[in-house]
Amino acid sequence: MSQKKALVVGASGGIGQNLIQYLSELGEWEIVGLSRRKPSFKSNAQFISVDLLNQDDVQAKLGELTDITHIFYTAFYGGPTFSGPVAENLAMLTNVVGTVEPIAPLLERVVLIQGGKVYGRQLGPFKTPAKESDPRHMPPNFYFDQEDFLTARSADKNWSWAALRAEAFCSEIVGIPSLPLLIAVYATISKELGLPLRFPGTQAAYDALVQVTDAGLLAEAMTWAATSPGAADEAFNLTNGDAFRWSNLWPQFAKFFDMEYASPQDISLVEVMADKEPLWERIVERYRLEAHSLQELAVWQLGDFLFHCDWDVLLSATKVQQAGFHQVVDSELMFMSLFQRFRDRHIIP
C-alpha cells in the first residue's frame, strides 16, 4: 500500500482532474477520486460516484476509506452568482470530512482550494496586493465558513489544514470553464467572420492589472501544501507569480492567430455568441476539428465577468514564497503554449 493516499473531492472538475493526473505521474500516491459523474479522462485512480450533498450517500460510499492520509477539496457548488451559495458548499465539505476524519487515523492534512473571491474580487475594487492577513469583507462568502470549519475541526487533532487561494485557473482541459480556451474560440470565430481581434470588455478592465494560475503550477503547489510542515493551518495566495494587463497581451494574441488587431469593444459575449453554434459547426467541419459543441468549449459568462472587472486583481505571493514554494510561470508564455496545445489537439484550427 502506498505511503500516501489522496482523496480528491471534485475529481471531474478541472482542478481535480489536473491534480489526479499530476499525482499519478509522481508515482508516490494512491488516489481515490470523488465526483457525481464518472470522469471522462483515463487514470489509475479509483473513482467513487457520490452525491456530496447527501450525507447518507457520503457515509455509505466513503465509510471504508480508513487509510486516507490527505484530502484535497476542489469541489464547488455553483449558483446564480459567481460567489456561490454558502449552505451547500459548506455541507459538501462537512459531509466529507465528517465521514472520513473519524475513521482515518493516518489523516495528515486537508487542502482546501479557495480563490480571489475570498477577498471580494467579485464585488468590486479591493485592497491590492491582497494579503492573507487582510480582514474579511462583509459576508456571505462560503470560503469563510469552510475555513472556519476546518480550523475548528482540526483543533487539538493530529491533522491540519491548508488553503490555496488561486486566481483564474488555466488549463488545457475541455469541458470546464476555461479562460484560455474561451479566448481561443472567440478569436477563431472572429477570424472566421473576417473581423479583427478585439478585447470584448471595458477599457478599464483592459488596462487593469490581472493575474492567473496555471494548472500545472497549482497541482504542484497543492502537493506542496499537503506535505510541507510550513503549510500547516495556513492559507496562501497562489498565482503564476507575475501580473499583466490585457492591453499588453491581446495584441500578442492577435499575432498568434494571424489576425489584425483593433481596440477594445465592450460587448456581452453571452449575447453575441448566442447564435454562433451553426457557425462553429461549419468551422469544425471545414478544419476537421474535434467534435465539440460551442457550449462545451466556452463559458461565455466567465468571459463577461473577467473582461468587465474594472479593477486590479492582484494577490501577494510573498507568504507562499517565504513558506518554501518558489515556482512561478510566465503568464504570456502560458497562454501561447495553451493556444498551441489546442491547435495541436485540433480543438481550434
Side-chain angles (χ1 to χ4, degrees):
M1 183 176 64
S2 173
Q3 182 180 359
K4 295 189 288 288
K5 186 167 183 176
L7 180 64
V8 180
V9 187
S12 62
I15 295 175
Q17 286 188 47
N18 195 74
L19 176 64
I20 288 174
Q21 293 169 352
Y22 178 77
L23 293 178
S24 299
E25 293 171 359
L26 292 179
E28 303 170 354
W29 293 79
E30 188 176 353
I31 308 166
V32 178
L34 304 184
S35 60
R36 291 197 64 173
R37 66 180 189 275
K38 184 178 180 180
S40 58
F41 61 96
K42 294 181 180 180
S43 170
N44 294 328
Q46 171 193 353
F47 290 100
I48 299 175
S49 177
V50 60
D51 180 359
L52 297 179
L53 283 172
N54 186 324
Q55 186 176 16
D56 292 336
D57 192 40
V58 173
Q59 291 178 341
K61 301 288 182 61
L62 310 187
E64 297 183 358
L65 297 180
T66 59
D67 53 351
I68 295 297
T69 60
H70 298 79
I71 298 174
F72 295 90
Y73 191 86
T74 74
F76 169 69
Y77 185 91
T81 69
F82 277 94
S83 297
V86 171
E88 289 84 353
N89 280 289
L90 179 60
M92 294 193 302
L93 176 63
T94 57
N95 286 342
V96 171
V97 175
T99 298
V100 175
E101 184 234 19
I103 64 172
L106 300 179
L107 181 65
E108 297 178 20
R109 189 161 299 163
V110 177
V111 177
L112 176 66
I113 292 299
Q114 299 178 331
K117 291 192 290 291
V118 77
Y119 299 112
R121 60 95 71 223
Q122 74 281 17
L123 303 175
F126 59 101
K127 184 183 79 65
T128 54
K131 296 183 177 181
E132 296 85 348
S133 57
D134 289 345
R136 291 176 172 179
H137 67 74
M138 175 71 76
N141 188 317
F142 71 84
Y143 287 142
F144 302 163
D145 300 80
Q146 289 180 330
E147 187 174 314
D148 290 345
F149 164 74
L150 290 177
T151 300
R153 182 86 183 205
S154 62
D156 301 321
K157 301 288 182 63
N158 292 327
W159 61 276
S160 56
W161 63 274
L164 291 179
R165 298 172 177 176
E167 175 59 33
F169 175 73
C170 295
S171 82
E172 63 176 300
I173 297 174
V174 173
I176 66 167
S178 170
L179 176 60
L181 185 53
L182 180 150
I183 294 172
V185 171
Y186 167 74
T188 299
I189 290 174
S190 297
K191 185 174 182 178
E192 188 71 12
L193 292 172
L195 303 174
L197 184 63
R198 308 183 72 172
F199 177 76
T202 62
Q203 184 68 44
Y206 190 60
D207 294 329
L209 284 170
V210 181
Q211 290 179 310
V212 295
T213 304
D214 174 73
L217 183 73
L218 180 57
E220 187 175 355
M222 291 173 70
T223 307
W224 168 83
T227 57
S228 172
D233 299 324
E234 296 288 348
F236 300 95
N237 296 332
L238 196 285
T239 67
N240 283 355
D242 60 4
F244 59 88
R245 304 182 197 276
W246 290 121
S247 56
N248 294 326
L249 262 62
W250 278 73
Q252 301 305 313
F253 295 167
K255 291 180 181 179
F256 178 90
F257 292 105
D258 193 23
M259 298 174 65
E260 295 294 326
Y261 177 75
S263 58
Q265 185 177 50
D266 187 358
I267 60 175
S268 166
L269 290 172
V270 170
E271 293 179 2
V272 302
M273 293 297 170
D275 64 346
K276 299 300 188 295
E277 186 67 48
L279 172 61
W280 183 255
E281 291 174 355
R282 292 195 295 272
I283 293 173
V284 169
E285 183 177 1
R286 178 179 300 119
Y287 297 102
R288 299 181 179 179
L289 305 179
E290 286 189 4
H292 296 288
S293 69
L294 196 56
Q295 185 177 4
E296 289 180 275
L297 299 179
V299 179
W300 301 119
Q301 293 91 336
L302 174 66
D304 283 343
F305 172 67
L306 293 176
F307 300 148
H308 289 81
C309 284
D310 296 344
W311 49 88
D312 293 343
V313 178
L314 188 63
L315 312 185
S316 171
T318 300
K319 182 178 178 180
V320 74
Q321 292 176 4
Q322 289 178 332
F325 187 78
H326 305 292
Q327 302 302 316
V328 295
V329 170
D330 183 296
S331 293
E332 181 175 345
L333 295 180
M334 179 206 73
F335 276 107
M336 299 305 179
S337 175
L338 287 172
F339 293 159
Q340 187 60 52
R341 291 183 204 177
F342 297 144
R343 182 172 286 169
D344 294 342
R345 291 174 54 189
H346 304 289
I347 297 171
I348 60 171

